[in-house]
Amino acid sequence: MKPKVFVTREVFDETLDYLAQYCEVESNQQDMPLTAEALAQRLAEKDGVVCCLTDRIDAGLLERCPRLGIVANIAVGYNNIDIAACTARGVMATNTPGVLDDSTADLAWALMLGTARRLTEVESYIRAGEWTGWRLKQWLGVDVHHATLGIIGMGRIGQVIARRASGFEMKVLYCNRRPVANEIERRLSATHVSKDELLAQSDFVILQVPYSPETHHLIGAAELKKMKPTAILINSTRGGVVDDAALVAALRDGTIRGAGLDVFENEPRLHPGFLELKNIVLAPHIGSSTEATRRAMAMTAAKNLVAGLTGGMPSNLLNPEVKEA
Ligand code: DGY
């Protein structure tokens, strides 16, 4: 008998076709996030689930799904999954690293360039029919080229962001729990500094750390005050890494110049202050959202799930202890 699996959100046809070769598939192709109760009901008799960052997989849910053997997240970030609870119940958990590094790095760059050159402000101005002609001092932005880029979190995506900086002849600073290997530092021309030093020296600060209790409000009022008043903050990693209320205040009072944001605390609800500000570029959590990348993410999750359910080793197993036990 094929294992029974549930796909919590709309995916691509090829993902479902692939899963159907190995599993009995049920899916929520209406693409509305399920409530915790609905999710528990749909998973009660399932052996595996392909889920997304909008699904909370916690101890309470696992308790109600005794057959569940694997949770395959379509995302590299997995703060929606209680990994310890999965491990305690012998449930494998997987994510989709690698396939989205370039697209996510591109979006961080898009936010950085867009904020520096005020692209959303000027587009609104043009669309409102207010442009009456060229002026020397019109819509002055700031240069990205030759500026100092500070990357907080030098994992895979941080490194891809740094690699793109060489084309802009930027100085690259980074901070990380541990410095990366010398050879990587040399290749990226990146210098490891303390967080305070990075905040004080950078013209652009990009956050690329995963969300966890340790990184909750990594950037709050105190950190924003340490930044240059001319600096721009980019968050395309996870809401909650930035204290959004503190950021709204800092953008309002000119503590920093601007921000480019793809992720928010409590998304999709935004701190209302963001909508009143002009010195920001906002995006709806689309860091990895290119057609090719989202297809690759969904297929990676499906392959992880199938490997786990057919006795193999999923490529992106987050809790290998479960297999070792
Ligand atoms: C991820 O992979 O964590 C992204 O945020 C999903 O878009």
Side-chain angles (χ1 to χ4, degrees), residues 11-27:
V11 290
F12 302 93
D13 288 348
E14 76 261 15
T15 324
L16 293 175
D17 291 347
Y18 172 79
L19 286 170
Q21 291 174 45
Y22 305 91
C23 312
E24 212 177 284
V25 185
E26 246 182 60
S27 69

Side-chain angles (χ1 to χ4, degrees), residues 2-29 48-51 70 72 74 297-310:
K2 285 179 173 176
K4 293 188 166 128
V5 302
F6 183 61
V7 181
T8 65
R9 300 292 299 270
E10 187 174 11
V11 290
F12 302 93
D13 288 348
E14 76 261 15
T15 324
L16 293 175
D17 291 347
Y18 172 79
L19 286 170
Q21 291 174 45
Y22 305 91
C23 312
E24 212 177 284
V25 185
E26 246 182 60
S27 69
N28 169 30
Q29 293 302 290
V49 59
V50 174
C51 61
I70 182 161
I74 308 182
M297 288 166 68
M299 194 52 99
T300 301
K303 287 188 173 166
N304 283 329
L305 178 112
V306 167
L309 289 179
T310 54

Side-chain angles (χ1 to χ4, degrees), residues 108 111-112 115-116 149-152 198-199 202-208 218-220 223-224 227-237 241-244 246-248 250-251 255-263 274 279-281:
L111 289 173
M112 182 158 72
T115 312
L149 171 63
I151 303 173
I152 301 186
L198 181 146
L199 293 173
S202 301
D203 300 304
F204 298 90
V205 174
I206 294 191
L207 303 171
Q208 209 49 70
L218 184 77
I219 300 294
E223 289 73 22
L224 290 160
M227 291 172 66
K228 296 181 183 180
T230 49
I232 286 174
L233 178 72
I234 306 299
N235 187 12
S236 53
T237 186
V241 172
V242 174
D243 176 344
D244 283 354
L247 178 58
V248 166
L251 290 166
T255 302
I256 64 169
R257 177 185 174 96
L261 305 170
D262 183 44
V263 290
F274 283 134
N279 48 343
I280 52 175
V281 173

Side-chain angles (χ1 to χ4, degrees), residues 6-306:
F6 183 61
V7 181
T8 65
R9 300 292 299 270
E10 187 174 11
V11 290
F12 302 93
D13 288 348
E14 76 261 15
T15 324
L16 293 175
D17 291 347
Y18 172 79
L19 286 170
Q21 291 174 45
Y22 305 91
C23 312
E24 212 177 284
V25 185
E26 246 182 60
S27 69
N28 169 30
Q29 293 302 290
Q30 285 163 353
D31 204 27
M32 285 301 288
L34 297 172
T35 62
E37 178 54 34
L39 188 59
Q41 285 179 18
R42 302 298 292 268
L43 292 183
E45 301 293 320
K46 301 295 184 295
D47 301 294
V49 59
V50 174
C51 61
C52 296
L53 51 87
T54 49
D55 304 306
R56 175 100 207 113
I57 309 288
D58 57 16
L61 178 103
L62 295 173
E63 183 75 30
R64 296 178 62 185
C65 311
R67 287 178 55 148
L68 205 62
I70 182 161
V71 174
N73 213 29
I74 308 182
V76 65
Y78 49 87
N79 53 303
N80 57 311
I81 303 175
D82 183 338
I83 301 291
C86 286
T87 307
R89 298 192 68 92
V91 177
M92 291 175 271
T94 63
N95 67 341
T96 61
V99 292
L100 46 69
D101 297 350
D102 283 291
S103 302
T104 307
D106 285 353
L107 196 272
W109 269 88
L111 289 173
M112 182 158 72
L113 290 163
T115 312
R117 302 305 296 269
R118 308 173 67 180
L119 284 186
T120 52
E121 278 181 273
V122 295
E123 185 177 351
S124 307
Y125 165 80
I126 286 192
R127 285 183 187 275
E130 289 172 20
W131 188 28
T132 51
W134 186 92
R135 295 205 313 274
L136 188 68
K137 285 162 62 177
Q138 198 173 35
W139 296 109
L140 301 175
V142 290
D143 285 326
V144 172
H145 66 85
H146 297 95
T148 298
L149 171 63
I151 303 173
I152 301 186
M154 198 56 133
R156 278 186 323 272
I157 299 172
Q159 290 177 31
V160 178
I161 291 170
R163 203 160 70 217
R164 282 150 174 63
S166 67
F168 286 77
E169 300 180 65
M170 297 178 90
K171 175 175 171 183
V172 180
L173 306 177
Y174 78 98
C175 66
N176 205 37
R177 266 177 307 179
R178 279 181 298 281
V180 296
N182 290 342
E183 188 262 323
I184 298 177
E185 277 194 354
R186 257 197 313 276
R187 190 157 21 89
L188 299 175
S189 304
T191 307
H192 188 253
V193 294
S194 68
K195 186 170 108 183
D196 280 358
E197 213 174 318
L198 181 146
L199 293 173
Q201 288 185 29
S202 301
D203 300 304
F204 298 90
V205 174
I206 294 191
L207 303 171
Q208 209 49 70
V209 291
Y211 179 72
S212 70
E214 292 74 48
T215 59
H216 178 73
H217 287 186
L218 184 77
I219 300 294
E223 289 73 22
L224 290 160
K225 279 203 188 79
K226 289 177 186 166
M227 291 172 66
K228 296 181 183 180
T230 49
I232 286 174
L233 178 72
I234 306 299
N235 187 12
S236 53
T237 186
R238 274 292 181 274
V241 172
V242 174
D243 176 344
D244 283 354
L247 178 58
V248 166
L251 290 166
R252 254 188 210 140
D253 68 18
T255 302
I256 64 169
R257 177 185 174 96
L261 305 170
D262 183 44
V263 290
F264 307 87
E265 287 190 289
N266 309 313
E267 61 187 52
R269 275 171 294 134
L270 262 61
H271 186 296
F274 283 134
L275 300 179
E276 291 157 16
L277 289 164
K278 297 223 185 307
N279 48 343
I280 52 175
V281 173
L282 303 170
H285 202 147
I286 53 161
S288 58
S289 190
T290 66
E291 169 125 19
T293 294
R294 286 281 166 91
R295 282 184 189 276
M297 288 166 68
M299 194 52 99
T300 301
K303 287 188 173 166
N304 283 329
L305 178 112
V306 167

